[in-house]
């Protein structure tokens, strides 16, 4: 375990009022990261950051996350040319969530399915059952072309 | 353990394309819930939902979460009169996050500090160190009046 890149979180009250970024990483060493479109505020994706991903995002101005499935640092968008330029970073009252306002390079897609946002389906009730209704929008790229068989 | 209120999640590909809500709860039985303002898209809060909280949110049209600190179902805003009316629910590609677009009743505050959004501080670099800069906006209520000593 390398030394943390941020000071340890203080007590709850101080977390809400302090002027130092002291992220409250969970037992897996992660905070939640919310990514929205800098221009129109649309929610693009939700991911996670460890200490290193957050520090790299702040230092480089490009979104970095921790991939829980691959268990590795993830410079978002490098494979598909859709890196995220970070315009603003915010944190919440208890500093266990990070909000990035970004613009997306290349095709502008954030989701690995090629859709602009990962949230391309709404939940609706039909006969008392929750169903998903997909937005009538085409993907911005073909995942098979970009990732081959990796998706 | 009571029976789940949703069908079990299928494999990754089907999660992305199916028309049934099959939330992928984590090992603690939770999905991430992102709450934004229905009117202007502002990110208000990030919380978590278990099976019951998600089902109640869908059924009642009012935001319900699972409080990890109190380990109980949490009908958001009941104590402070700031319940959330849910206008739209969306989910992401792998169905482990839920996006609620809401309007907030009463004072309009979402954060227990009285602020409209929990994300009332931005992260800025000063002499190579990440500091937090608080928005110059007053809280919408006084937490001491609403919660007494509970905060």
């Amino acid at each position: 375990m390398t030394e943390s890149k941020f000071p340890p979180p203080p007590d709850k009250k101080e977390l809400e009022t302090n002027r130092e970024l002291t992220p409250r990483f969970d037992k897996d060493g992660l905070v939640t990261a919310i990514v929205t479109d800098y221009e129109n505020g649309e929610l693009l994706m939700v991911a996670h950051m460890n200490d290193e991903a957050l520090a790299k995002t702040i230092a480089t101005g490009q979104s970095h996350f921790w991939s829980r499935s691959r268990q590795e640092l993830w410079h978002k968008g490098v494979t598909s040319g859709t890196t995220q330029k970070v315009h603003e970073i915010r944190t919440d009252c208890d500093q266990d969530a990070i909000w990035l306002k970004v613009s997306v390079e290349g095709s502008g897609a954030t989701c690995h399915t090629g859709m602009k946002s990962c949230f391309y389906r709404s939940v609706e009730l039909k006969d008392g059952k929750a169903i998903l209704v997909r937005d009538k929008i085409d993907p911005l790229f073909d995942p098979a072309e970009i990732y081959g068989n990796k998706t």
Side-chain angles (χ1 to χ4, degrees), chain A residues 17-97:
Chain A
T17 55
N18 66 359
R19 297 196 41 143
E20 203 168 19
L21 180 60
T22 54
R24 208 160 55 84
F25 296 104
D26 68 10
K27 59 185 186 297
D28 296 320
L30 302 175
V31 290
T32 306
I34 314 303
V35 182
T36 63
D37 185 301
Y38 177 65
E39 292 292 334
N40 66 12
E42 184 183 1
L43 178 59
L44 298 177
M45 64 180 286
V46 174
H48 295 82
M49 288 177 163
N50 65 357
D51 185 85
E52 188 185 2
L54 178 55
K56 272 207 191 279
T57 300
I58 293 171
T60 66
Q62 292 252 317
S63 299
H64 289 72
F65 305 106
W66 176 255
S67 167
R68 293 183 300 175
S69 56
R70 297 192 301 273
Q71 289 283 301
E72 63 182 24
L73 189 73
W74 169 28
H75 183 174
K76 168 69 184 166
V78 167
T79 309
S80 57
T82 56
T83 49
Q84 297 177 346
K85 180 179 174 192
V86 178
H87 295 268
E88 189 178 341
I89 305 177
R90 303 183 77 85
T91 191
D92 67 344
C93 45
D94 59 355
Q95 299 194 41
D96 65 352

Side-chain angles (χ1 to χ4, degrees), chain A residues 86-148:
Chain A
V86 178
H87 295 268
E88 189 178 341
I89 305 177
R90 303 183 77 85
T91 191
D92 67 344
C93 45
D94 59 355
Q95 299 194 41
D96 65 352
I98 297 289
W99 175 12
L100 305 180
K101 298 185 186 181
V102 310
S103 49
V104 180
E105 311 293 324
S107 67
T110 291
C111 189
H112 71 286
T113 60
M115 298 296 281
K116 179 173 184 230
S117 163
C118 293
F119 290 82
Y120 51 82
R121 290 171 296 181
S122 62
V123 179
E124 295 184 12
L125 269 182
K126 192 177 177 184
D127 303 328
K129 189 172 150 187
I131 61 158
L132 298 180
V133 178
R134 190 183 171 103
D135 292 341
K136 291 185 182 12
I137 301 171
D138 288 330
L140 297 172
F141 65 72
D142 175 2
E145 269 181 33
I146 301 287
Y147 303 108

